[in-house]
Amino acid sequence: MSLIELKNIGAFYGPSQALFDVSLEVDEGEVLALMGRNGMGKTTSVKVMCRMLRHSSGAVTFDGRDMADLPSYKAARLGIGLVPEGRRCFANLSVHENLIAAARKGAWDFGAVCALFPRLAERRDQAAASLSGGEQQMLAIGRALMTNPRLLILDEATEGLAPVIRQEIWEALAKLKAESGMAIIAIDKSLRELGQVADRAVILEKGRTVWSGAFNDLGAEETDRYLGV
């Protein structure tokens, strides 16, 4: 059974339909690359998964449970951890305060997060606003991990970061895949870096799933057609 499954999802923002027929699924321990050009429905699909946006048709299940009537905080309690686009750290709180704000009991505690991202231990008492963009991104990932999720969703987690920081984050994701058994959905534009961690890929085009399969089966024809500029 899939950990999370979206089946033929439709969704609206007011009168405007954003998703028409989105289907995807992620198994325990699997890394899925959710791909597509800007504005094609990736973040909207994430909002549906996290119950920040209600779907109008289709079905969303997590570990076999229908999520249709679930509020977002209950989706988080089920085990969905989100690293949102734009990081959204609590600017006036310290690194430590950001990390413990939504912490839940489990393997991922302050020490485990700092082992994954040693910079956060060094900046423990600094306000999040004083961190670099890359450090804030590490903090956002650490904050999601502190909820001890079964599914970690990363929405453009390396966008706009310096190459050395991008590499640190991708290495951390590879470590999570190898050691945690956590399911991961990663939205990113870098095929090369996604290829280091992703098992499968789903491509969205104008609010529809247009390709799904093993990441290694993603060829030049598909990338040019659906991901090219």
Side-chain angles (χ1 to χ4, degrees):
M1 180 185 295
S2 300
L3 179 61
I4 192 167
E5 181 177 12
L6 274 63
K7 188 172 182 180
N8 305 121
I9 293 296
F12 287 76
Y13 291 113
S16 300
Q17 189 165 1
L19 301 181
F20 294 84
D21 189 22
V22 170
S23 295
L24 63 84
E25 57 185 285
V26 185
D27 293 336
E28 296 269 12
E30 185 177 43
V31 179
L32 176 74
L34 182 56
M35 306 171 73
R37 298 185 184 93
N38 289 342
M40 294 300 170
K42 303 184 299 296
T43 296
T44 302
S45 297
V46 167
K47 288 181 178 179
V48 170
M49 288 183 237
C50 296
R51 307 315 298 150
M52 295 183 288
L53 179 68
R54 295 179 67 87
H55 55 288
S56 58
S57 58
V60 184
T61 57
F62 187 86
D63 199 17
R65 176 174 176 174
D66 185 358
M67 299 177 70
D69 297 322
L70 221 59
S72 58
Y73 75 92
K74 287 190 177 181
R77 288 179 181 174
L78 282 181
I80 299 177
L82 173 63
V83 182
E85 188 175 15
R87 302 160 197 149
R88 301 184 191 177
C89 300
F90 300 114
N92 296 326
L93 298 185
S94 69
V95 166
H96 183 254
E97 288 167 338
N98 265 275
L99 289 173
I100 65 172
R104 301 179 68 199
K105 290 183 179 180
W108 286 101
D109 56 15
F110 183 74
V113 168
C114 289
L116 186 66
F117 294 121
R119 290 171 186 242
L120 298 182
E122 298 168 6
R123 312 274 194 281
R124 174 191 171 112
D125 297 320
Q126 284 184 225
S130 71
L131 303 181
S132 69
E135 291 165 347
Q136 288 185 20
Q137 190 63 72
M138 293 175 187
L139 180 57
I141 296 171
R143 183 180 58 191
L145 288 173
M146 289 278 283
T147 68
N148 280 280
R150 298 175 65 190
L151 170 66
L152 181 68
I153 304 174
L154 303 109
D155 193 351
E156 301 284 6
T158 65
E159 185 176 22
L161 301 181
V164 65
I165 301 297
R166 289 176 60 91
Q167 187 59 34
E168 280 189 53
I169 290 174
W170 284 111
E171 288 174 359
L173 295 183
K175 186 174 182 179
L176 284 176
K177 177 183 179 180
E179 299 178 6
S180 73
M182 188 183 302
I184 299 172
I185 296 176
I187 298 175
D188 204 274
K189 295 181 177 65
S190 174
L191 286 169
R192 180 181 64 83
E193 291 169 318
L194 282 171
Q196 297 172 10
V197 297
D199 300 299
R200 292 191 305 108
V202 167
I203 300 178
L204 303 185
E205 174 85 359
K206 296 180 180 178
R208 293 179 169 86
T209 299
V210 293
W211 193 89
S212 178
F215 192 92
N216 291 338
D217 291 340
L218 187 58
E221 179 180 349
E222 291 81 16
T223 58
D224 288 346
R225 181 176 180 182
Y226 298 120
L227 304 175
V229 176

